[in-house]
Amino acid sequence: MIKPVTAQKIEKTNKDKKPKLVRDSFTIPKAEYTVLDELKQRTGKLAVAAKKSELIRAGIKALAAMSDAAFLAALKAVPAIKTGRPKK
């Protein structure tokens, strides 16, 4: 005997699952950190509020869409910094 599938069960299985979130921390030069604030203000002027994490994620999408040559050029434009927590 087969049980009929109700609309509620179908609705529950078709729901989009939320993406798993990962929390991370990193060190960023103060000058680049202020650019994030400037970009946040810029989004406000465009009537689209954005959080810092959204700006970083948008930057990741932009990097992923670049050709290898453009990606390499963007990567070389960023100086390497010493990892770890800054000394007080």
Side-chain angles (χ1 to χ4, degrees):
M1 190 166 161
I2 300 174
K3 292 183 181 179
V5 178
T6 63
Q8 270 185 334
K9 284 186 179 180
I10 292 173
E11 192 174 308
K12 284 183 182 179
T13 58
N14 289 344
K15 279 189 178 179
D16 292 333
K17 291 185 179 183
K18 291 183 182 178
K20 188 171 183 174
L21 303 178
V22 178
R23 189 154 177 85
D24 197 354
S25 63
F26 54 91
T27 304
I28 185 170
K30 181 119 177 140
E32 293 174 13
Y33 190 79
T34 57
V35 172
L36 279 175
D37 286 333
E38 291 168 5
L39 289 171
K40 278 183 65 170
Q41 292 174 3
R42 187 173 167 186
T43 61
K45 291 177 185 175
L46 297 171
V48 180
K51 298 174 185 172
K52 282 183 266 189
S53 63
E54 293 170 328
L55 291 170
I56 292 168
R57 290 171 45 222
I60 291 169
K61 284 184 174 261
L63 287 170
M66 288 180 178
S67 68
D68 287 347
F71 175 65
L72 191 57
L75 194 57
K76 286 183 178 181
V78 178
I81 58 172
K82 187 176 178 183
T83 59
R85 296 190 178 267
K87 293 181 181 178
K88 292 185 178 184

